[in-house]
Amino acid sequence: MAVYTDINEVDLKTFLRQYDAGELMSYKGIAEGVENSNFLLHTTAGSLILTLYEKRVEKADLPFFLGLMHHLSSRGVNCPLPLPRHDGALLGELSGRPAALITFLEGMWLRKPEPAHCREVGKALAEMHLACDGFALRRPNALSLDGWQALWAKSAGRADEVLSGLREEIGGELAFLEGAWPKDLPEGVIHADLFPDNVFFLGDQLSGLIDFYFACNDMLAYDVSICLNAWCFEKDGSYNITKGMALLDGYNAVRPLSAAEIAALPVLARGSALRFFLTRLYDWLTTPEGALVVKKDPIEYLRKLRFHRQVASAAEYGLASA
């Protein structure tokens, strides 16, 4: 979450009249994240999240995202829900951007997750994968191999400004993944961005999942690799195998990974590390000064990518059956 587009009180009050959302009491921007502009609203009816969809999000994809939240909620997955306007539409417009009001999910994200939390995340991810079965809409993953090449093309010319030799290193990694990327693994709808700030806890109990704006159809094990990258590395860059074991055990308890998925996990983890390195690098180089957004260091994900290059099998991630 972030704020790229500012709003004013007059326009916001006019926007809210299209909903059964109560009268505005206060609002503030939410600085975390990098994708859309988000605000926490307090109204006489309660707390809500207002999301303004920025240019990287295609308006044509919004029915997929908003419909997925409704589908998951109907299958017992705790996630925010978009509020309908008086005319039944889930999408409006504010400050020249498509906009939606989303229910507020109680809980907080964890700055220092423990193995027990990682196990709950693994279980929740597998439950989400199973709950997505039967969701009729489809959305290709725009940030897979072809998308990485296109994104890299926008940053490659300045990459060595960030780190000497980076252009050559990432070019080689892309060439490797083009040849090694797995095929014919089980697919479905994936979250594709299940970082700690997109998972809420109440105490040690996972209370829900948020931010489905990267969700798409892709390999389910790729989603697992994203979570290994997001949850199982420490701030010093070391991989915590205890957390990895817990996350994978939690996932396997609900949806056991196949032998082919297990074998592919090191390559998938390289790909997911590269994916987040590339988007962070692009944002690092292009985010305008003055935007209320916390830029994320791309080098963090370069270090993770280098770690995965040395991994020979999924056993090194903590998967006992590998």
Side-chain angles (χ1 to χ4, degrees):
M1 296 180 176
V3 175
Y4 295 95
T5 301
D6 201 6
I7 58 176
N8 63 64
E9 184 177 351
V10 173
D11 290 344
L12 179 54
K13 287 182 175 180
T14 300
F15 177 82
L16 287 176
R17 293 191 192 105
Q18 301 172 78
Y19 298 83
D20 289 323
E23 296 294 322
L24 181 67
M25 297 172 64
S26 66
Y27 71 98
K28 65 178 181 179
I30 301 173
E32 292 165 336
V34 296
E35 202 56 31
N36 300 308
S37 294
N38 290 271
F39 301 84
L40 174 61
L41 277 53
H42 295 290
T43 77
T44 52
S47 298
L48 296 166
I49 299 294
L50 168 67
T51 297
L52 275 60
Y53 299 100
E54 298 294 344
K55 293 180 180 179
R56 189 187 286 175
V57 177
E58 295 287 343
K59 188 174 181 178
D61 288 333
L62 293 176
F64 178 94
F65 301 140
L66 301 178
L68 178 61
M69 290 185 231
H70 275 283
H71 176 86
L72 289 173
S73 180
S74 73
R75 297 294 184 91
V77 175
N78 198 15
C79 62
L81 285 173
L83 269 62
R85 302 190 314 179
H86 296 310
D87 62 5
L90 297 177
L91 199 61
E93 184 174 303
L94 181 60
S95 297
R97 297 284 188 265
L101 276 183
I102 311 292
T103 57
F104 181 79
L105 187 67
E106 291 289 346
M108 60 180 292
W109 70 273
L110 302 175
R111 270 66 175 177
K112 295 182 178 180
E114 299 294 334
H117 304 125
C118 294
R119 180 173 286 104
E120 291 303 305
V121 169
K123 288 170 57 180
L125 182 68
E127 289 166 355
M128 192 208 87
H129 286 166
L130 295 179
C132 286
D133 187 46
F135 182 58
L137 299 180
R138 291 187 59 84
R139 178 179 180 265
N141 187 357
L143 288 171
S144 190
L145 288 170
D146 290 344
W148 300 340
Q149 290 283 9
L151 194 57
W152 175 236
K154 297 176 181 179
S155 302
R158 297 181 58 195
D160 284 2
E161 296 176 21
V162 178
L163 185 69
S164 178
L166 193 56
R167 183 169 186 169
E168 181 179 359
E169 180 177 358
I170 298 305
E173 186 66 24
L174 281 164
F176 166 80
L177 290 172
E178 285 280 0
W181 200 239
K183 299 178 177 64
D184 302 322
L185 295 182
E187 294 189 356
V189 178
I190 68 170
H191 186 284
D193 194 38
L194 202 61
F195 278 63
D197 57 353
N198 288 332
V199 181
F200 282 4
F201 284 82
L202 287 170
D204 289 330
Q205 184 70 37
L206 193 151
S207 61
L209 311 179
I210 68 167
D211 204 349
F212 290 86
Y213 301 116
F214 285 106
C216 57
N217 292 82
D218 207 331
M219 294 174 286
L220 301 180
Y222 178 63
D223 224 8
V224 177
S225 78
I226 290 172
C227 286
L228 289 174
N229 275 312
W231 289 84
C232 301
F233 284 85
E234 300 300 332
K235 289 190 178 299
D236 65 1
S238 64
Y239 181 76
N240 187 320
I241 196 169
T242 305
K243 290 182 179 180
M245 183 181 299
L247 191 147
L248 292 166
D249 283 352
Y251 189 90
N252 276 321
V254 177
R255 181 194 167 267
L257 292 164
S258 69
E261 289 176 306
I262 291 169
L265 206 53
V267 172
L268 293 171
R270 283 175 73 163
S272 59
L274 180 67
R275 172 259 183 269
F276 286 99
F277 166 79
L278 289 173
T279 50
R280 287 185 176 198
L281 178 66
Y282 178 79
D283 290 338
W284 190 266
L285 294 172
T286 62
T287 297
E289 294 297 327
L292 180 56
V293 57
V294 179
K295 292 199 297 185
K296 297 180 179 179
D297 183 5
I299 301 303
E300 175 189 350
Y301 266 79
L302 179 65
R303 296 190 186 103
K304 293 178 182 181
L305 173 58
R306 290 171 173 173
F307 168 83
H308 296 305
R309 287 195 193 120
Q310 310 305 316
V311 172
S313 78
E316 295 179 54
Y317 296 125
L319 193 60
S321 59

